[in-house]
Amino acid sequence: MNRKENRMDTLNNYINKDLLFLDLEVNSQEDLLRYMAKELNRRENVNEEFIKKVIEREKEFPTGLQIEEIGVAIPHSDIEYVNEPAVALAVLKNPINFYSMEDGKKIIPINVVFMLAVDDGNKQLKLLQEIMGLIQSKETLKNIIEADTKEEILELIAS
């Protein structure tokens, strides 16, 4: 198995159809984070505290990344708020502003959000690295944004 297949297999273990949100329409970063965290909570992947903590963490440690013309964010919180590891993925109908991970004063319009809920610090770091590898492909990112179905997105992540 090559390194890419290993990366995708691992991400596939954390992501599923119920946590994919296509053409999600929200009005603000906080609404977006709250929505995604509540979905993770509803599925019992995270506890109630995760919702508040992921919003607080994003304010202190922004996660926005500019990948050419596409904005990606990877919000997450501490492992103690996670019951069962998962990754939620949202493709936004309209971009929402996040601050840059690299420059906390720079605003990036975000199109794609990976919300991590991982219960082990080493797994979280590995998953962040894997997602970074995935989003380095502009073509894959564009295909995720243009996907019509959740199945298409799962296929793209698996390929």
Side-chain angles (χ1 to χ4, degrees), residues 65-84:
L65 294 165
Q66 190 77 49
I67 311 293
E68 297 192 35
E69 74 274 5
I70 300 169
V72 178
I74 311 174
H76 52 282
S77 186
D78 296 326
I79 62 175
E80 68 249 34
Y81 309 113
V82 177
N83 302 325
E84 182 68 33

Side-chain angles (χ1 to χ4, degrees), residues 23-112:
D23 288 327
L24 184 61
E25 203 164 350
V26 290
N27 296 316
S28 70
Q29 180 193 96
E30 187 166 331
D31 288 350
L32 169 66
L33 296 174
R34 190 174 304 284
Y35 178 85
M36 293 180 78
K38 279 186 176 180
E39 287 298 311
L40 285 162
N41 177 253
R42 188 176 62 78
R43 293 176 38 83
E44 299 180 358
N45 292 99
V46 300
N47 63 32
E48 284 281 328
E49 197 70 7
F50 180 90
I51 300 166
K52 182 176 87 172
K53 294 296 184 183
V54 77
I55 292 167
E56 286 174 7
R57 188 184 188 290
E58 188 64 36
K59 288 177 184 169
E60 194 171 336
F61 302 104
T63 64
L65 294 165
Q66 190 77 49
I67 311 293
E68 297 192 35
E69 74 274 5
I70 300 169
V72 178
I74 311 174
H76 52 282
S77 186
D78 296 326
I79 62 175
E80 68 249 34
Y81 309 113
V82 177
N83 302 325
E84 182 68 33
V87 174
L89 171 65
V91 177
L92 305 179
K93 186 173 182 99
N94 302 302
I96 293 290
N97 288 337
F98 273 65
Y99 285 102
S100 169
M101 182 185 294
E102 297 159 339
D103 173 359
K105 293 182 172 101
K106 181 180 178 193
I107 293 175
I108 299 173
I110 298 298
N111 312 88
V112 178

Side-chain angles (χ1 to χ4, degrees), residues 84-141:
E84 182 68 33
V87 174
L89 171 65
V91 177
L92 305 179
K93 186 173 182 99
N94 302 302
I96 293 290
N97 288 337
F98 273 65
Y99 285 102
S100 169
M101 182 185 294
E102 297 159 339
D103 173 359
K105 293 182 172 101
K106 181 180 178 193
I107 293 175
I108 299 173
I110 298 298
N111 312 88
V112 178
V113 179
F114 290 86
M115 182 175 280
L116 307 185
V118 184
D119 61 355
D120 174 286
N122 291 329
K123 285 182 195 171
Q124 183 166 297
L125 181 60
K126 186 175 182 331
L127 197 54
L128 279 168
Q129 291 169 335
E130 292 166 359
I131 290 170
M132 293 299 290
L134 174 72
I135 65 176
Q136 293 305 312
S137 166
K138 180 182 168 190
E139 184 181 334
T140 300
L141 266 180

